[in-house]
Amino acid sequence: MILRRCDANYISDVERANTFNSVQTLYFTTGEATNDGKIITLGDSGGPVVSKINGKIVGITTGINGTIRGRGMFLPITSFLGFIHDPKSVKPLPHSLTPNEAKFIADIAVPGKFLTVTKEAYANADEDFQIRSNAIILSETEILTCAHNVHGAPYVYVIVNKLSDNPTKIKVTEDQIEIHEKLSGFAFDVAKITLKEPLEFSENVGSIDLVQEDYKLNDPSEIVSVYGDMTLDGTERTRRFDIKYLNSAICESKLGDRFDANQLMCYTLDESMGTPFTFGGPMVSKKNNKLVGMTIFRFPDKPVIFQPIVPLLDWIRKPRVRCNQRRRI
């Protein structure tokens, strides 16, 4: 066993996405062939990664997945400076939302079983088993959610003020559900529900404002909030998760043909904060608190797919299509 130095170079985000999983807090590098063709080997974990420019430590060798295809995996030290200087500064889990904080968020409960595939969804009337997903309150009579959450169901329940002690449960039949006419895979995987009776807005029930037509959600520095239910200590809580934009090239490399960069966005969540497990919920800009997108889907170990709201604005605002004019998918 001989201690050696290995010089390595940083590889691009796209190549990294093609090679490794979607963890965003890792450096991935190539380097000279040592240790039988590997850069790092068993026992190297915890060692230093040092800049050859200034001799300072810039990372820590990690053994999270060993070495893949002869490439090293290293944690950047800048991600942990706060922890190093103050161990008590570890980022806490997001807090549970109060009813007022979640006033524009609703639940969709689908009785029976259904497939989360947009063209094959179905449900039966088994009241003892209900699939839950998120939804967004647009107005007193309009609810937005994913098409794959409700498509094919003979009826669903819209649950409003779900975090309070007295939530409202409204039965919605198939004729009140309109699927977006451009539905194709995960693009435009949205449905609008029209309620027969208007909701009664209050301190804990209200609508969310929409962004304008010229809004562009492609700034890597912009932070948005997404919402989802997370189980912590055996209790399911609705929480907020703050995330940043992820380059579309990485999304395409990770999701392949399932991701349409012209119509969709994707983000990778901070796994240490937990992840939302329900879809159809809002993506809200932290700059102006307006609705900018909707959570669509997530594959295991893949970025989360989001539908931008801007391409939906005309469809959301237009009068509801009558039942006999609805397109069947």
Side-chain angles (χ1 to χ4, degrees):
M1 182 76 73
I2 301 175
L3 184 67
R4 303 175 69 88
R5 185 189 73 237
C6 174
D7 293 340
N9 296 314
Y10 176 78
I11 66 173
S12 71
D13 287 343
V14 173
E15 186 179 359
R16 176 185 70 183
N18 284 329
T19 308
F20 301 94
N21 61 27
S22 59
V23 178
Q24 296 298 297
T25 55
L26 294 174
Y27 286 145
F28 305 97
T29 65
T30 58
E32 61 188 23
T34 61
N35 298 323
D36 297 326
K38 299 178 180 178
I39 297 174
I40 58 174
T41 190
L42 186 65
D44 288 341
S45 298
V49 180
V50 180
S51 168
K52 297 200 72 174
I53 297 176
N54 56 26
K56 293 185 178 182
I57 182 171
V58 295
I60 302 171
T61 305
T62 178
I64 287 179
N65 283 323
T67 305
I68 304 176
R69 302 182 195 174
R71 291 175 175 162
M73 302 176 70
F74 308 98
L75 293 167
I77 206 72
T78 52
S79 300
F80 300 95
L81 288 177
F83 172 76
I84 291 171
H85 297 309
D86 180 9
K88 295 181 180 180
S89 67
V90 177
K91 187 164 48 176
L93 286 169
H95 71 286
S96 299
L97 296 182
T98 65
N100 182 257
E101 290 175 312
K103 64 188 305 180
F104 53 84
I105 302 174
D107 258 5
I108 299 292
V110 183
K113 300 177 181 179
F114 78 121
L115 301 178
T116 54
V117 180
T118 52
K119 293 186 178 181
E120 299 178 16
Y122 71 94
N124 60 39
D126 181 2
E127 289 284 358
D128 295 329
F129 180 69
Q130 295 185 358
I131 304 292
R132 299 286 286 272
S133 59
N134 282 168
I136 308 161
I137 301 174
L138 295 178
S139 70
E140 291 94 334
T141 57
E142 290 183 321
I143 305 291
L144 196 69
T145 190
C146 288
H148 74 255
N149 290 343
V150 297
H151 185 217
Y155 63 91
V156 301
Y157 290 106
V158 176
I159 302 168
V160 181
N161 201 9
K162 65 174 187 171
L163 299 187
S164 71
D165 294 330
N166 298 299
T168 301
K169 191 172 184 179
I170 306 166
K171 187 174 182 178
V172 171
T173 53
E174 188 179 13
D175 63 303
Q176 296 173 253
I177 301 172
E178 182 178 1
I179 306 296
H180 198 289
E181 60 183 6
K182 292 184 180 179
L183 172 63
S184 174
F186 292 105
F188 295 98
D189 179 17
V190 294
K192 185 166 56 174
I193 295 173
T194 302
L195 303 177
K196 293 181 178 178
E197 298 292 336
L199 296 174
E200 189 173 324
F201 281 3
S202 66
E203 179 184 10
N204 297 330
V205 179
S207 60
I208 188 169
D209 292 332
L210 303 175
V211 291
Q212 302 300 315
E213 284 85 349
D214 60 353
Y215 182 84
K216 302 292 184 183
L217 187 56
N218 57 5
D219 182 355
S221 66
E222 180 170 8
I223 298 176
V224 294
S225 296
V226 294
Y227 300 80
D229 295 333
M230 172 184 170
T231 300
L232 182 65
D233 297 329
T235 303
E236 190 174 81
R237 305 282 187 180
T238 299
R239 297 174 178 269
R240 185 188 72 237
F241 304 81
D242 294 341
I243 57 178
K244 287 188 176 182
Y245 175 80
L246 187 61
N247 186 283
S248 60
I250 298 178
C251 299
E252 290 179 301
S253 67
K254 297 295 290 183
L255 297 168
D257 294 339
R258 293 170 293 193
F259 180 77
D260 183 349
N262 295 319
Q263 305 292 350
L264 300 169
M265 305 174 296
C266 80
Y267 285 66
T268 296
L269 303 180
D270 183 346
E271 300 289 350
S272 67
M273 300 289 283
T275 56
F277 293 111
T278 49
F279 303 103
M283 170 188 277
V284 181
S285 169
K286 297 205 75 174
K287 292 192 300 186
N288 53 29
N289 291 319
K290 293 187 176 182
L291 183 71
V292 297
M294 183 173 68
T295 312
I296 292 294
F297 208 80
R298 179 184 181 179
F299 297 95
D301 300 321
K302 304 287 185 182
V304 184
I305 300 174
F306 295 92
Q307 170 69 56
I309 287 296
V310 170
L312 305 176
L313 289 176
D314 290 342
W315 180 77
I316 289 174
R317 291 166 177 160
K318 74 177 178 59
R320 187 169 155 5
V321 176
R322 293 184 179 180
C323 299
N324 58 5
Q325 296 177 324
R326 289 176 64 204
R327 289 187 59 183
R328 305 296 292 184
I329 304 299

